[in-house]
Amino acid sequence: MRKFWMTTALALTMTAGIATAAENVEVLHWWTSGGEAAALDVLKKDLESKGISWTDMPVAGGGGTEAMTVLRARVTAGNAPTAVQMLGFDILDWAKEGALGNLDDVASKEGWDKVIPQALQKFSKYDGHWIAAPVNVHSTNWLWINKAALDKAGGKEPTSWEELIALLDNFKSQGITPIAAGGQPWQDATLFDAVVLSLGDDFYKKAFIDLDSATLGSDKMKEAFDRMTKLRTYVDDNFSGRDWNLASAMVIEGKAGVQFMGDWAKGEFIKAKKVPGQDFVCMRFPGTQGAVTFNSDQFAMFKVAEDKVPAQLQMASAIENPTFQSAFNVVKGSAPARTDVPNTAFDDCGKKAIADLADADKNGRLFGSMAHGHANPAAVKNAIYDVVTRQFNGQLSSEDAVKELVSAVEAAK
Ligand code: GAL
């Protein structure tokens, strides 16, 4: 009997020993704000409950530009993380380099093909193989309005450009900063996503998805830049370089009237215990109602040493678990990546996000966000960033911005 227990104990130790070495994931991401960290904690705790330890590799910088630079250095040094938060076309670029692992076993066992929307699968699969696990669907064409300031302005949500300008003028008369913004290229571009979409679905699609030169160089694009110039008059003098979550805090604290931002901003309101309809109002950018510019955060799974693959696959499986999908996205401010997750745990803004995405997908009004890497590869995205941020800061007239947009995109294609 003693021999039996000795053998069993040895076997268990060996198994545990092998499993311990593999049961760790190193994750590179840029979720460093309060709301983002709270959401990430849901994932960390979920994995720890499954015996998988988490080595954190946060790289601050909204929109992920800095994170992608650090990733390139890590992979070049032959030391890729287990999993990396990544957006859209960046995933496909890494897949083309042969840098990503294969998740087909988990995906087919768990039926991902049936529950992950095609709009996301476009970026989760390469050459027919699953190479990334989508964790959410964010969208960028939102307004986050301080409810008290809106009530003081009469309480009507602006549904047109003219009504938006009137509301911003009213906020100015209230003595608060009308627009809470952070002057960083990715934030300027996030606003530009919505301004261009508000001038028409077809205009957005031709400009940013098709990169049609005539559209990029059109009078309508000049109008879009003119609107950016008008919006620029409503930001405060210290907006340059401000992180997006600090702009969210200005609206949360009533120091500013509205933030134009993706619904990761909602994660900050939730973290601050604010309630939709009571403390803030979420609505689609005027003129974009019914349409959505989306970006999905996916964990791209890099090729790693054999003994790290089991934990990597367990992480992918944990991410797609419906219960986790609800728990994570309620905190993150995004909608679930899966279409079969009930909306019962979500607040009114979360329920709206889920419904808007489903409607936009059904009605052909769901478009990849240019600002967040879902319309074109990074070279094109960064070329657009450069023109938009120079124009927004008055270094380019609208006429010159239109000309530069055409030439910069042409050169980056
Ligand atoms: C987006 C990302 C969000 C959030 C945001 C601000 O690209 O999808 O999850 O991190 O950047 O950094």
Side-chain angles (χ1 to χ4, degrees), residues 117 120 134-139 263 292 294-297 325 329 333-338 353 357 366:
L120 269 55
V135 69
N136 65 10
V137 191
H138 274 302
S139 50
D263 42 17
V292 170
F294 80 95
N295 60 293
S296 167
D297 288 305
Q325 278 279 311
N329 285 292
S334 36
R338 295 176 63 118
L357 280 162
L366 180 64

Side-chain angles (χ1 to χ4, degrees), residues 69-365:
T69 303
V70 170
L71 172 64
R72 173 60 63 187
R74 281 288 302 266
V75 177
T76 305
N79 178 22
T82 317
V84 178
Q85 176 196 354
M86 209 177 278
L87 300 172
F89 280 89
D90 288 343
I91 303 170
L92 299 181
D93 285 345
W94 280 108
K96 276 182 203 130
E97 292 190 33
L100 304 185
N102 183 318
L103 305 175
D104 287 346
D105 289 352
V106 176
S108 52
K109 193 155 62 72
E110 298 180 358
W112 292 3
D113 284 279
K114 289 191 288 296
V115 292
I116 304 293
Q118 283 308 315
L120 269 55
Q121 289 196 35
K122 175 179 169 183
F123 301 108
S124 312
K125 295 169 90 168
Y126 180 74
D127 215 11
H129 299 293
W130 286 85
I131 39 84
V135 69
N136 65 10
V137 191
H138 274 302
S139 50
T140 59
N141 57 313
W142 287 103
L143 270 64
W144 308 96
I145 310 174
N146 178 282
K147 180 75 166 51
L150 180 65
D151 289 346
K152 262 195 217 146
K156 185 183 180 305
E157 295 176 19
T159 53
S160 68
W161 173 254
E162 293 70 23
E163 287 181 4
L164 174 62
I165 296 306
L167 180 63
L168 293 173
D169 287 335
N170 184 289
F171 287 159
K172 199 177 268 187
S173 70
Q174 291 182 36
I176 59 174
T177 299
I179 299 175
Q184 296 168 344
W186 76 270
Q187 293 191 58
D188 304 337
T190 301
L191 174 55
F192 199 55
D193 262 359
V195 170
V196 169
L197 182 64
S198 72
L199 291 171
D201 291 8
D202 201 42
F203 176 58
Y204 181 94
K205 181 181 176 303
K206 283 205 178 108
F208 290 155
I209 311 288
D210 305 340
L211 300 181
D212 171 64
S213 294
T215 308
L216 289 167
S218 64
D219 289 346
K220 192 172 270 193
M221 189 58 77
K222 180 186 173 303
E223 169 63 19
F225 280 118
D226 287 344
R227 291 189 178 194
M228 291 292 278
T229 302
K230 179 68 177 167
L231 293 175
R232 177 69 169 70
T233 64
Y234 292 103
V235 305
D236 64 295
D237 294 342
N238 304 318
F239 96 110
S240 182
R242 179 184 289 130
D243 285 336
W244 67 273
N245 53 310
L246 300 181
S248 307
M250 290 168 70
V251 178
I252 289 167
E253 293 156 15
K255 292 178 184 138
V258 60
Q259 182 182 24
F260 302 104
M261 188 46 72
D263 42 17
W264 45 90
K266 218 272 300 254
E268 300 304 303
F269 284 80
I270 299 296
K271 184 91 172 50
K273 307 254 183 291
K274 299 302 179 183
V275 177
Q278 192 179 303
D279 304 306
F280 68 100
V281 167
C282 58
M283 63 168 285
R284 292 296 176 183
F285 192 95
T288 71
Q289 296 88 332
V292 170
T293 39
F294 80 95
N295 60 293
S296 167
D297 288 305
Q298 306 209 26
F299 279 101
M301 299 297 179
F302 277 75
K303 278 180 181 156
V304 289
E306 199 51 41
D307 73 341
K308 291 190 175 177
V309 170
Q312 187 179 60
L313 296 178
Q314 277 187 276
M315 177 177 175
S317 175
I319 286 166
E320 300 311 336
N321 175 291
T323 308
F324 166 78
Q325 278 279 311
S326 179
F328 174 87
N329 285 292
V330 159
V331 178
K332 187 69 174 67
S334 36
R338 295 176 63 118
T339 53
D340 61 346
V341 175
N343 70 359
T344 33
F346 292 80
D347 64 22
D348 289 350
C349 291
K351 287 183 169 75
K352 178 171 171 51
I354 294 168
D356 286 357
L357 280 162
D359 289 348
D361 200 8
K362 186 169 77 235
N363 302 328
R365 304 192 65 194

